Amino acid sequence: MAESEQAGQGLVVSVVGRIGRWGFGLFEQVRLIRRLLRDSLYWTFVAPLTGKGLRVGSTFDEMVKVGVSAVPIVALISFSIGLILAMQSAYQLQQFGATIFTANLVAVAQTRELGPLMTAIIVAGRSGSGIAAEIGSMKVGEEIDALRSMGFNPVKFLVVPKLLALAIMVPCLTVLSDFIGIGGGFTMGVLNLDLGFVRYLNRTIQALVLKDIVTGLIKSWVFALLIGLTGCYMGFAVEGGAEGVGRRTTLSVVVSIFLIILADAFFTAVFYYLW
């Protein structure tokens, strides 16, 4: 009886200990994220007003890496999505003799949903992981400690240029994705569905309203911040050498995509019911 009571008490202590460690770890992560967000906002919006300027050159370098270098892959995937969406839409609509509405479906789906979502996922996999790996490698090599010892703030030098570049280039890539995705649907509609060049184009123009494009751009801006903050946080959280860098890089992609889909669901519901 005494042994069973001791075993029960040991189990309770073990469970409580695990919950306590999990809660402490979660609290520590939330504290670090809050600190990163606070410092990023300060060095982006407040510090420049007090004479501590932004690193404009580094921001342009990051814009090239995040945006210009991603144009080919975004264009290829967006065109393919436009083709696929047009084929799948026509498959159902032709049963009702309404194939022309393929243009409506492709245009609205691409601008409101698929353009911002697929662009964000591509950037998360390509640039978000790169940000985590770069900052993580610098932490392992004690370069971040060296920056601090020289009086430089790592958030100003490493995080702010990446966040600004993402906030500018992800919406630009989304606009490009919208046009090329609609172009993919247009190609399928004209060449395979015999909808006619002018007819398809007019239908697309009639279907699109400014609200569709604006909602997609708002989503893309939020996605950009999520990708940047997640990548930077994972980089600063690296521990354990090269293995830790790899683990955090992979985790940054998984967490970024998870957060992007959650944010997409939230904003889609908000725009659907309120706007």
Side-chain angles (χ1 to χ4, degrees), residues 12 19 25 28 38 47 63 67-68 70 76 86 116 134 136-137 142 161-162 167 182 185 217-218 226 234 237 249 271:
V12 170
I19 294 174
E28 186 65 15
R38 183 198 63 195
M63 287 170 65
V68 178
L76 178 63
E134 180 185 337
S137 300
E142 299 182 349
K162 299 180 193 308
I182 291 172
L217 291 178
I218 293 173
L226 290 175
M234 290 298 174
T249 301
F271 292 138

Coordinates of all heavy atoms in Angstrom, one line a residue, residues 12 19 25 28 38 47 63 67-68 70 76 86 116 134 136-137 142 161-162 167 182 185 217-218 226 234 237 249 271:
V12 N 2.4 12.1 -9.7 CA 1.9 13.5 -9.7 C 3.0 14.5 -9.7 O 2.9 15.5 -10.5 CB 1.1 13.6 -8.3 CG1 0.7 15.1 -8.1 CG2 -0.2 12.8 -8.4
I19 N 4.4 19.9 -16.5 CA 3.6 21.1 -16.8 C 4.3 22.4 -16.5 O 4.2 23.4 -17.2 CB 2.2 21.0 -16.1 CG1 1.4 19.8 -16.6 CG2 1.4 22.2 -16.2 CD1 0.2 19.5 -15.8
G25 N 8.7 27.4 -20.2 CA 9.3 27.5 -21.5 C 8.4 28.4 -22.4 O 8.9 29.2 -23.2
E28 N 8.7 32.0 -21.4 CA 10.0 32.6 -21.9 C 9.9 32.9 -23.4 O 10.4 33.9 -23.8 CB 11.1 31.6 -21.6 CG 12.5 32.1 -21.9 CD 12.9 33.2 -21.0 OE1 12.2 33.5 -20.0 OE2 13.9 33.9 -21.4
R38 N 8.7 44.5 -29.9 CA 8.9 45.8 -29.4 C 10.1 46.5 -29.9 O 10.1 47.7 -30.4 CB 9.0 45.7 -27.8 CG 9.1 47.1 -27.1 CD 9.6 46.9 -25.7 NE 11.0 46.4 -25.8 CZ 11.6 45.9 -24.7 NH1 10.9 45.8 -23.5 NH2 12.8 45.4 -24.8
A47 N 13.1 55.2 -33.7 CA 14.5 55.6 -33.7 C 14.8 56.5 -34.9 O 15.6 57.5 -34.7 CB 15.4 54.3 -33.8
M63 N 15.8 43.5 -50.1 CA 14.7 43.5 -51.1 C 15.1 42.7 -52.4 O 14.2 42.0 -53.0 CB 14.4 44.9 -51.5 CG 13.7 45.7 -50.3 SD 13.5 47.5 -50.6 CE 12.4 47.5 -52.1
G67 N 12.8 39.7 -52.9 CA 11.8 40.0 -54.0 C 12.3 39.6 -55.4 O 11.7 38.8 -56.0
V68 N 13.3 40.3 -55.8 CA 13.8 40.1 -57.2 C 14.2 38.7 -57.5 O 13.8 38.1 -58.5 CB 14.9 41.1 -57.5 CG1 15.4 40.9 -58.9 CG2 14.5 42.5 -57.3
A70 N 13.1 36.1 -56.2 CA 11.9 35.2 -56.1 C 11.0 35.3 -57.3 O 10.0 34.5 -57.4 CB 11.2 35.4 -54.8
L76 N 6.3 31.2 -62.1 CA 6.1 29.8 -62.6 C 4.9 29.2 -61.9 O 4.0 28.6 -62.5 CB 7.4 29.0 -62.5 CG 7.3 27.5 -63.0 CD1 6.9 27.4 -64.4 CD2 8.6 26.8 -62.7
A86 N -8.3 27.1 -63.8 CA -9.2 27.3 -65.0 C -9.7 25.9 -65.4 O -10.9 25.8 -65.7 CB -8.5 28.0 -66.1
P116 N -2.0 35.9 -52.7 CA -1.3 36.2 -51.5 C -0.9 34.9 -50.7 O 0.2 34.9 -50.1 CB -2.3 37.0 -50.6 CG -3.6 36.8 -51.3 CD -3.4 36.5 -52.7
E134 N 20.6 32.4 -41.4 CA 21.6 33.4 -41.4 C 21.8 33.9 -39.9 O 23.0 34.0 -39.5 CB 21.2 34.6 -42.3 CG 22.2 35.7 -42.3 CD 21.7 36.9 -43.1 OE1 20.8 36.7 -43.9 OE2 22.1 38.0 -42.8
G136 N 20.9 32.4 -37.2 CA 21.3 31.3 -36.3 C 22.8 31.0 -36.5 O 23.5 30.8 -35.5
S137 N 23.3 31.1 -37.7 CA 24.7 30.9 -37.9 C 25.5 31.9 -37.3 O 26.6 31.7 -36.7 CB 25.0 30.8 -39.4 OG 24.3 29.8 -40.1
E142 N 29.0 33.4 -32.7 CA 29.2 34.5 -31.7 C 29.4 35.9 -32.3 O 29.9 36.8 -31.8 CB 30.4 34.2 -30.7 CG 30.2 32.9 -30.0 CD 31.3 32.6 -29.0 OE1 32.4 33.3 -29.1 OE2 31.2 31.7 -28.1
P161 N 16.1 45.7 -41.4 CA 16.2 45.6 -42.9 C 15.4 44.4 -43.5 O 14.8 44.6 -44.6 CB 17.7 45.5 -43.1 CG 18.3 46.0 -41.9 CD 17.5 45.7 -40.8
K162 N 15.4 43.3 -42.8 CA 14.7 42.1 -43.4 C 13.2 42.3 -43.3 O 12.5 42.0 -44.2 CB 15.1 40.9 -42.6 CG 16.6 40.5 -42.7 CD 16.9 39.3 -41.9 CE 18.4 39.1 -41.7 NZ 19.2 39.2 -42.9
A167 N 8.1 43.5 -45.9 CA 6.8 44.3 -45.9 C 6.6 45.0 -47.3 O 5.5 45.2 -47.7 CB 6.9 45.3 -44.8
I182 N -3.9 35.1 -63.3 CA -5.0 35.4 -64.2 C -4.6 35.1 -65.7 O -5.4 34.6 -66.5 CB -5.4 36.9 -64.0 CG1 -6.1 37.0 -62.7 CG2 -6.4 37.3 -65.1 CD1 -6.4 38.5 -62.3
G185 N -5.0 31.4 -66.3 CA -6.4 31.1 -66.6 C -6.8 31.6 -68.0 O -7.6 31.0 -68.7
L217 N -4.0 42.3 -50.8 CA -2.7 43.0 -50.4 C -2.6 43.2 -48.9 O -1.5 43.1 -48.3 CB -2.7 44.4 -51.0 CG -2.5 44.4 -52.6 CD1 -2.6 45.8 -53.1 CD2 -1.2 43.7 -52.9
I218 N -3.7 43.4 -48.2 CA -3.7 43.5 -46.7 C -3.2 42.1 -46.1 O -2.4 42.1 -45.2 CB -5.1 43.8 -46.2 CG1 -5.5 45.2 -46.5 CG2 -5.1 43.6 -44.6 CD1 -6.9 45.6 -46.2
L226 N 4.6 38.2 -40.4 CA 4.7 36.8 -39.8 C 5.9 36.1 -40.2 O 6.6 35.5 -39.4 CB 3.4 36.0 -40.1 CG 2.1 36.5 -39.4 CD1 0.9 35.7 -39.9 CD2 2.2 36.5 -37.9
M234 N 13.4 32.5 -34.7 CA 14.0 31.2 -34.7 C 15.5 31.3 -34.8 O 16.3 30.5 -34.3 CB 13.5 30.4 -35.9 CG 12.0 30.0 -35.8 SD 11.8 28.9 -34.4 CE 10.0 28.7 -34.4
A237 N 16.9 32.1 -31.5 CA 16.6 31.1 -30.5 C 17.5 29.8 -30.7 O 17.4 28.8 -30.0 CB 15.2 30.7 -30.5
T249 N 15.8 26.2 -38.5 CA 15.5 26.6 -39.9 C 14.2 25.8 -40.3 O 13.3 26.4 -40.9 CB 16.7 26.3 -40.8 OG1 17.8 27.1 -40.3 CG2 16.3 26.7 -42.2
F271 N -13.2 39.6 -43.7 CA -13.6 40.3 -44.9 C -14.9 39.8 -45.4 O -15.7 40.5 -46.1 CB -12.5 40.1 -46.0 CG -11.2 40.8 -45.6 CD1 -10.0 40.2 -45.9 CD2 -11.2 42.1 -45.1 CE1 -8.8 40.9 -45.5 CE2 -10.1 42.8 -44.8 CZ -8.8 42.2 -45.0

